[in-house]
Amino acid sequence: MKNLRHCSSSTFVIIFIHILVTHNEGFDPVIQLPHSNRTLTRSKRVLSVVDYGAKGDGFHNDTKAFLEAWKIACSLNGSVKVVFPFRKTFLLHPIDIAGPCQSKINLRILGTIVAPRDPLVWHGLNQHKWLYFHGVNQLTVDGGGRINGMGHEWWARSCKINTTNPCHPAPTAVTFHRCKNLKIRKLMLLNSQQMHMAFTNCMSVVASRLKVLAPAFSPNTDGIHISATRRVEVKHSLIRTGDDCISIVRNSSRVRIRNISCGPGHGISIGSMGKSETWERVQDIHVNGAYLYNTDNGVRIKTWQGGQGIVSKITFQNIVMENVSNPIIVNQYYCDSQKPCNNQTSAVKVENISFIDIQGTSATEEAIKFACSDVSPCEGLYLENVFLASCMGGNTSSYCWQAHGSTRGLVYPHTCFSSSNDFLRQKVGLDSSPAIQSI
């Protein structure tokens, strides 16, 4: 991570934090449920993992107990709760939690779930997974408890921390794959091995009142990752990690993000997209209400050269930034590789991107950057009421390459969009016609 210059706090930050804290009052004191044996005998609707053999001491493996409780809950009709009780710590090894289920399950995490500390536990298993939910519909996960990935040993072995280490995958702490109608709320996720929470090929997701925390140095620990997923809300959450607070990638749409506090980390990102010449689409994304502080990037779109597809109908609105490097950035030359990336002609199209009511301070002079493709320029970029001052005094600047758009209201630093005449000339190839050039 870059060394960010320190900025003093500003009054609008206090206002935003007040709003966030107000919404996070959902982390109310947890009320312990009635004795699970009594409840289970009466209605069979509340299943405590303790009743199926879980020790909850943080040392014994409680995976089998959880699977047994889940299997029974999944087979029942109606609504069922599976409970990790308050004031206990449950050690879970890598686990597949499968659906579909006959019931609507509420997974209540009142205590703490922890991962094994030793990566060798994953030997012979899929190293991309720890808690893996798939094919589950009508699932609610809540309770005010914690999920701790115990990621420190994974980070120490990462090639991002030590370049002499080989690059190996690491688990996403909680993955939801091919799930529908999910509600994830009032949880704390800590120190994931890699990404904290991922939604892949899901539909209709609401994630709210989450706290996602990991050190700034932790590699690839995205807070919330959205891939090939439609109809997503992420709201009223605090995310402080070593990578993107929220990342949205391939074939995702109708994503709404609001009232997010982000930092440290890499900001809110669309992409990366188009790696290995793939075709990908992300569209209809609206970020409305965010506070970003001490992040390497603010709001970002990143694509690899050689890819195909489109990023369109993206709005970043009502955003406050403090001491943020690269506050607004579109980069169609993204290259996260130890070797230089080759120049390629094709590119993921970027169009109809809006930046509205964005205020704050930049830790770098270049506060706005649009680095777009020669072959597929950015079109329909729009800025309205943007003010990004220097963190340390002096002026900020903008950079444009093959970027076309318009502004309204006060925009500082001033944009450097290509003129419409230059764009027309490029689109119809006028430079090759001496007769037209002379007009």
Side-chain angles (χ1 to χ4, degrees):
M1 179 176 288
K2 301 174 184 176
N3 292 323
L4 299 181
R5 290 173 285 183
H6 178 73
C7 284
S8 60
S9 299
S10 50
T11 55
F12 48 68
V13 171
I14 297 173
I15 296 172
F16 190 91
I17 292 176
H18 173 74
I19 295 171
L20 187 71
V21 170
T22 300
H23 286 295
N24 273 330
E25 288 177 352
F27 282 85
D28 42 19
V30 184
I31 301 175
Q32 193 167 10
L33 293 176
H35 192 275
S36 55
N37 280 329
R38 177 183 174 185
T39 307
L40 180 61
T41 302
R42 185 177 67 247
S43 65
K44 294 186 179 181
R45 293 301 173 203
V46 179
L47 311 180
S48 170
V49 295
V50 172
D51 294 326
Y52 295 87
K55 300 296 184 182
D57 58 8
F59 298 102
H60 290 85
N61 183 356
D62 292 325
T63 309
K64 184 178 179 181
F66 176 35
L67 282 176
E68 184 65 23
W70 178 270
K71 180 179 177 181
I72 293 173
C74 193
S75 67
L76 298 174
N77 293 318
S79 298
V80 184
K81 291 182 180 179
V82 176
V83 180
F84 286 86
F86 187 48
R87 291 179 180 169
K88 290 183 177 291
T89 299
F90 300 90
L91 173 64
L92 295 186
H93 283 220
I95 182 173
D96 278 16
I97 306 103
C101 295
Q102 293 182 201
S103 56
K104 296 180 181 180
I105 296 180
N106 178 191
L107 180 59
R108 296 274 289 168
I109 303 172
L110 303 174
T112 298
I113 294 174
V114 297
R117 294 176 181 271
D118 190 354
L120 291 179
V121 171
W122 275 259
H123 181 70
L125 303 175
N126 188 331
Q127 293 198 347
H128 292 280
K129 303 174 183 178
W130 174 34
L131 307 178
Y132 183 72
F133 297 81
H134 57 99
V136 185
N137 302 330
Q138 302 288 342
L139 172 65
T140 298
V141 185
D142 61 13
R146 298 184 174 193
I147 299 174
N148 191 334
M150 310 295 287
H152 289 83
E153 184 60 34
W154 290 92
W155 308 336
R157 300 183 183 198
S158 170
C159 61
K160 293 265 178 112
I161 296 294
N162 184 346
T163 56
T164 63
N165 289 335
C167 292
H168 294 301
T172 295
V174 186
T175 301
F176 298 94
H177 179 66
R178 295 191 181 280
C179 298
K180 294 181 181 179
N181 301 315
L182 297 176
K183 293 180 181 179
I184 317 298
R185 62 196 181 199
K186 298 182 185 178
L187 292 174
M188 181 179 292
L189 290 86
L190 302 168
N191 301 328
S192 177
Q193 305 92 335
Q194 194 161 301
M195 294 180 183
H196 284 79
M197 181 173 289
F199 302 102
T200 63
N201 295 92
C202 294
M203 181 178 292
S204 297
V205 176
V206 179
S208 63
R209 296 177 182 174
L210 303 178
K211 292 182 180 179
V212 186
L213 307 175
F217 65 82
S218 58
N220 300 116
T221 52
D222 295 47
I224 297 175
H225 182 72
I226 301 167
S227 175
T229 293
R230 292 185 292 157
R231 301 209 320 252
V232 183
E233 283 187 74
V234 182
K235 56 188 179 181
H236 311 320
S237 295
L238 169 69
I239 306 174
R240 306 175 62 182
T241 67
D243 209 297
D244 295 331
C245 293
I246 299 175
S247 54
I248 304 168
V249 300
R250 59 188 64 85
N251 306 321
S252 295
S253 62
R254 295 185 65 185
V255 178
R256 302 293 181 262
I257 298 167
R258 55 193 176 95
N259 293 345
I260 300 296
S261 180
C262 165
H266 294 179
I268 298 174
S269 293
I270 311 293
S272 60
M273 295 173 58
K275 187 177 183 180
S276 303
E277 303 181 6
T278 53
W279 190 100
E280 296 174 336
R281 177 197 298 268
V282 169
Q283 62 182 6
D284 192 10
I285 313 296
H286 197 166
V287 179
N288 188 351
Y291 167 53
L292 293 91
Y293 58 102
N294 297 340
T295 54
D296 273 5
N297 302 283
V299 290
R300 174 170 60 159
I301 296 173
K302 50 181 178 176
T303 69
W304 293 75
Q305 292 186 77
Q308 300 181 59
I310 188 168
V311 179
S312 67
K313 298 179 182 178
I314 314 295
T315 299
F316 300 102
Q317 186 172 9
N318 295 325
I319 296 173
V320 173
M321 301 189 186
E322 183 182 10
N323 196 37
V324 170
S325 297
N326 307 308
I328 293 175
I329 179 169
V330 175
N331 182 11
Q332 288 188 278
Y333 299 91
Y334 182 72
C335 179
D336 183 18
S337 172
Q338 294 181 345
K339 298 180 180 179
C341 296
N342 295 326
N343 290 329
Q344 299 188 57
T345 55
S346 63
V348 177
K349 182 68 177 175
V350 176
E351 64 179 15
N352 299 328
I353 315 296
S354 298
F355 305 88
I356 302 171
D357 293 325
I358 298 178
Q359 322 288 329
T361 56
S362 173
T364 52
E365 179 183 340
E366 198 171 80
I368 299 174
K369 182 175 182 177
F370 299 123
C372 303
S373 166
D374 288 322
V375 176
S376 182
C378 298
E379 301 178 47
L381 301 176
Y382 176 74
L383 288 87
E384 177 180 341
N385 297 336
V386 174
F387 186 84
L388 296 166
S390 172
C391 182
M392 301 299 291
N395 296 323
T396 52
S397 64
S398 60
Y399 170 86
C400 296
W401 181 262
Q402 302 294 1
H404 308 277
S406 60
T407 66
R408 182 178 180 180
L410 173 66
V411 174
Y412 177 80
H414 301 297
T415 56
C416 46
F417 290 141
S418 302
S419 70
S420 58
N421 289 337
D422 289 341
F423 183 50
L424 179 62
R425 188 177 296 277
Q426 291 173 3
K427 293 294 283 184
V428 300
L430 298 182
D431 290 343
S432 63
S433 173
I436 298 179
Q437 283 180 343
S438 62
I439 293 177

